[in-house]
Amino acid sequence: MDHICFLKGQSVNKPKWNMEEINSFLKTAEEERSDLLYYFALSTGIRLQELLALTWNDVDTDKKKVTISKQLTLYNGGEGKVMHLRSVSHVLPISETLMEKLRVHRGQLKGEERDHSDQLGAGLNLVFPNQDGEYQKPGRVQMNLNRLTMKANVPRISFGDFRPIFTNLLVQGGADPITIHYLLRHNSMDTTIQYLDRLALLEIF
């Protein structure tokens, strides 16, 4: 997708939530102990298939960095398989707040693993496994997102909308195009500029 040139009239998803709506959604998700997956997406711009393939080996708690090198691919019948990205691995910084949330989350998962050591997916070492320790299905994640947005009374979005929202947060926070290009992991700066233009964010610079 990164190498596609946007044609006139073509668009990408525009940011749909403001800060009040983001906080309202995260608070609702936190009540069900499911906020971290969405907080991670909002903090890094990671794609859903990449997020579901993330393992604890990809998370460096000392350097506060995460390596994105693979994504989850589903085949007929719903079987999941991890595929390495065609591009090189990307190492992204993560905030202290996100890192602390990950530490707590990992401790909770370890406790659950001790109670369910016979589960089929116990050895996958996933950051965001399903209840059986296996890969979550993207469709089920979206269904849960739909339910939470309704409960939080915020506009309904797809998981793919988190990436434009993340980009908008970067721009509003004063990030320059070079930093945004690095964090979005586009193949070229031209793609980043076109992306910002389609989000109506380019005029801010």
Side-chain angles (χ1 to χ4, degrees):
M1 178 179 291
D2 291 346
H3 64 276
I4 294 177
C5 293
F6 293 109
L7 302 177
K8 185 176 181 180
Q10 187 176 354
S11 63
V12 297
N13 295 331
K14 293 186 177 182
K16 297 182 179 180
W17 286 352
N18 55 35
M19 281 305 304
E20 181 179 354
E21 290 165 334
I22 291 173
N23 290 331
S24 177
F25 171 80
L26 289 176
K27 182 179 179 181
T28 299
E30 185 178 14
E31 293 172 355
E32 300 187 11
R33 291 181 56 189
S34 61
D35 58 308
L36 181 55
L37 183 142
Y38 307 107
Y39 187 89
F40 199 110
L42 286 166
S43 300
T44 63
I46 192 172
R47 300 175 179 89
L48 178 57
Q49 287 81 359
E50 298 167 342
L51 187 59
L52 298 183
L54 204 66
T55 68
W56 289 108
N57 293 334
D58 300 318
V59 181
D60 189 327
T61 56
D62 294 328
K63 296 183 179 180
K64 300 183 181 65
K65 293 182 178 180
V66 60
T67 299
I68 301 174
S69 61
K70 52 190 179 297
Q71 64 183 5
L72 178 65
T73 301
L74 293 181
Y75 295 94
N76 292 336
E79 181 182 357
K81 182 178 181 180
V82 167
M83 306 289 290
H84 284 276
L85 300 177
R86 294 180 180 179
S87 58
V88 297
S89 299
H90 297 271
V91 180
L92 301 179
I94 53 180
S95 68
E96 179 60 43
T97 300
L98 177 55
M99 181 54 66
E100 183 57 33
K101 288 178 177 290
L102 285 169
R103 292 191 185 103
V104 173
H105 177 61
R106 188 172 193 179
Q108 293 171 341
L109 286 180
K110 286 184 176 180
E112 293 173 1
E113 287 175 1
R114 286 193 295 269
D115 296 336
H116 304 87
S117 58
D118 58 340
Q119 290 178 341
L120 293 176
L124 294 176
N125 201 31
L126 297 171
V127 177
F128 297 105
N130 63 16
Q131 292 181 344
D132 296 322
E134 299 180 307
Y135 297 109
Q136 293 196 60
K137 294 183 178 180
R140 187 169 295 276
V141 174
Q142 181 62 50
M143 288 176 59
N144 192 50
L145 173 58
N146 294 343
R147 181 181 59 80
L148 288 171
T149 54
M150 183 177 297
K151 185 177 180 180
N153 195 29
V154 297
R156 182 172 175 173
I157 65 172
S158 70
F159 200 95
D161 289 317
F162 282 120
R163 194 164 165 86
I165 294 172
F166 166 71
T167 306
N168 184 50
L169 292 175
L170 288 177
V171 172
Q172 298 302 327
D176 58 75
I178 295 177
T179 299
I180 295 172
H181 166 70
Y182 174 77
L183 294 175
L184 289 179
R185 298 172 284 123
H186 287 150
N187 288 336
S188 70
M189 178 59 76
D190 285 343
T191 301
T192 301
I193 296 301
Q194 292 170 358
Y195 187 78
L196 291 170
D197 187 32
R198 292 298 173 178
L199 292 178
L201 295 174
L202 190 59
E203 60 194 40
I204 296 178
F205 296 100

